[in-house]
Amino acid sequence: ESFKPELQRYGSKAREDAERFVDNIREGGSTNIDSALKTAVGLIQDSSRPSYVLFLTDGLPTAGETRELSIAENCRSANGRRSRIFCFGVGYDVNARLLDRLSGGNSGTSEYVTPDEDIETHVANFYSKMTRPALSDVHVELSGVDVNRTYPRDIPDLFEGGQIVWAGRYRQSGRTTIRVTGKVAGERRSLEFPAELAGASGGSGHDFVERLWVVRRLGDLIDQIDMNGQNRELIDELVSLSTKYGI
């Protein structure tokens, strides 16, 4: 159920009305995650600044669309304003795979709260981080180097004190320049860093990065198989990577 049919400007009256609405919520009924998410992202009409959706859930989808891949794809398709979705899974019955797909496909992150933890602490920590954005709309380029199959596909926003792990493949080792672009307070910024791309099997101490990429690639292959059915080419790559890296 929606509090109002459109977003409300914050004020003391709006807060009182919202708290009264929340106080009258009663447990029971079905869990329609698909409809709730599409309704939430549909409320956001302003794409001139970053928008955030917080999704808190303690269960599994039981009404409407219940297939996790379809829910994730429906949410991504409906999210025309590219709102960042942050998921909070509470309890032990949460479908973590679905929440990770929702947040990962919409430039957000997922957090999980056990029944003996205080969810307010987790949400407060998130709010503290969210109010200190360092770089939004992040893009990474490597000069003179072709990079492919990068994960995450959509790089999330960077917040003060946080980090982003971005992994991909390249063919040419050697020197390059990494260019990171994004927005700070609505203004476009660009940062450049010199880098040395390691050669294959160089024993340079950076071999763990290859394994990071493999884990993400395997997850992407499994998603493709789940979505489109078994495909010999995908299965062969899945088996080959799993065997080579012992995963």
Side-chain angles (χ1 to χ4, degrees), residues 23-186:
D23 288 340
N24 285 322
I25 294 176
R26 296 292 178 265
E27 62 183 21
S30 303
T31 303
N32 194 329
I33 290 176
D34 183 63
S35 177
L37 289 169
K38 288 189 291 189
T39 299
V41 296
L43 290 171
I44 298 172
Q45 301 296 321
D46 182 7
S47 57
S48 63
R49 60 181 181 179
S51 299
Y52 304 95
V53 173
L54 272 63
F55 175 42
L56 289 77
T57 181
D58 64 350
L60 307 172
T62 60
E65 179 61 72
T66 58
R67 296 171 297 175
E68 63 182 54
L69 283 167
S70 296
I71 293 173
E73 180 58 28
N74 290 345
C75 180
R76 191 190 64 79
S77 299
N79 191 8
R81 306 295 179 181
R82 294 179 59 84
S83 302
R84 285 71 164 169
I85 296 181
F86 295 85
C87 299
F88 291 84
V90 185
Y92 297 121
D93 294 329
V94 175
N95 187 337
R97 186 168 163 180
L98 170 59
L99 297 194
D100 287 345
R101 280 199 173 111
L102 289 169
S103 59
N106 295 277
S107 302
T109 57
S110 299
E111 282 198 44
Y112 296 96
V113 186
T114 58
D116 58 340
E117 291 183 291
D118 184 2
I119 190 174
E120 290 188 21
T121 301
H122 285 260
V123 175
N125 289 339
F126 165 79
Y127 179 78
S128 177
K129 177 180 73 172
M130 187 181 68
T131 56
R132 298 197 304 273
L135 200 65
S136 64
D137 194 20
V138 181
H139 297 274
V140 180
E141 297 176 352
L142 279 71
S143 61
V145 179
D146 293 326
V147 181
N148 60 63
R149 290 180 177 172
T150 57
Y151 303 102
R153 296 183 186 278
D154 297 317
I155 303 177
D157 294 343
L158 178 63
F159 297 92
E160 184 179 321
Q163 66 176 4
I164 296 172
V165 177
W166 183 71
R169 298 192 313 176
Y170 56 85
R171 294 188 181 277
Q172 309 93 344
S173 60
R175 294 184 179 276
T176 185
T177 299
I178 300 175
R179 181 179 297 107
V180 181
T181 59
K183 291 182 179 179
V184 179

